[in-house]
Amino acid sequence: MMRGKILDASLIKFLVVGVLNTLVGTAVMFLLYNLAGCPYWPSVCANYICGGTLSYFLNKYFTFQNKERSWAQVGRFVVTVAVCMFIAYGIAKPAVRWLLTGVGEKAQENAAMVVGMGLYTVLNYFGQRFFAFGEKGEQKR
């Protein structure tokens, strides 16, 4: 039963919104890191501030068609994005550093950003679907 709930139209919509978020956020992240010389974590955070803002509105109204209007929901969204970001990128950086031992730091961190984006996408879908924008009953399960 859970499989049918996860594999519905919201997943496809989430992925479409994710492509838009990725284009915006990734451009910000890689431009800051590679052209502006910003460190890893500030570049990653800027990605999720820009992409996250776009994501909030598109996922709220388009993907999950959520009608709730509350600061609590905004808080749940921010917590979801922050937790998913720190888990995904916190795992990605040391894992990629270990896998790419001997490769330059810049290449390792660029690769970690790509791996982190993939991990983040998976974690964030579940967080937004069932916590940030989930129906009242779904949030308690």
Side-chain angles (χ1 to χ4, degrees):
M1 182 133 209
M2 182 68 149
R3 181 180 172 176
K5 273 192 125 174
I6 294 170
L7 300 177
D8 64 7
S10 73
L11 178 59
I12 302 301
K13 290 178 179 181
F14 183 83
L15 293 173
V16 170
V17 168
V19 168
L20 294 172
N21 296 343
T22 299
L23 291 173
V24 171
T26 303
V28 168
M29 179 173 66
F30 285 116
L31 289 172
L32 286 174
Y33 183 76
N34 292 300
L35 296 180
C38 288
Y40 178 84
W41 281 109
S43 298
V44 166
C45 289
N47 173 0
Y48 287 95
I49 290 169
C50 295
T53 301
L54 179 61
S55 174
Y56 176 81
F57 291 103
L58 291 177
N59 281 320
K60 177 178 177 58
Y61 296 109
F62 173 68
T63 304
F64 301 115
Q65 298 175 356
N66 184 280
K67 307 266 190 267
E68 180 182 346
R69 290 179 181 246
S70 72
W71 286 108
Q73 183 180 60
V74 172
R76 288 191 309 269
F77 178 82
V78 169
V79 166
T80 298
V81 168
V83 168
C84 292
M85 180 189 75
F86 285 113
I87 289 172
Y89 286 87
I91 290 170
K93 189 172 181 180
V96 169
R97 182 174 283 159
W98 178 76
L99 287 170
L100 299 180
T101 302
V103 175
E105 181 180 13
K106 195 103 169 157
Q108 286 178 348
E109 289 188 343
N110 275 289
M113 289 177 185
V114 172
V115 170
M117 287 180 351
L119 291 171
Y120 172 84
T121 299
V122 172
L123 295 171
N124 191 42
Y125 173 73
F126 291 108
Q128 286 193 38
R129 171 86 190 263
F130 297 109
F131 180 65
F133 299 122
E135 294 177 21
K136 300 279 188 218
E138 287 181 310
Q139 291 172 18
K140 294 178 182 174
R141 285 184 208 167

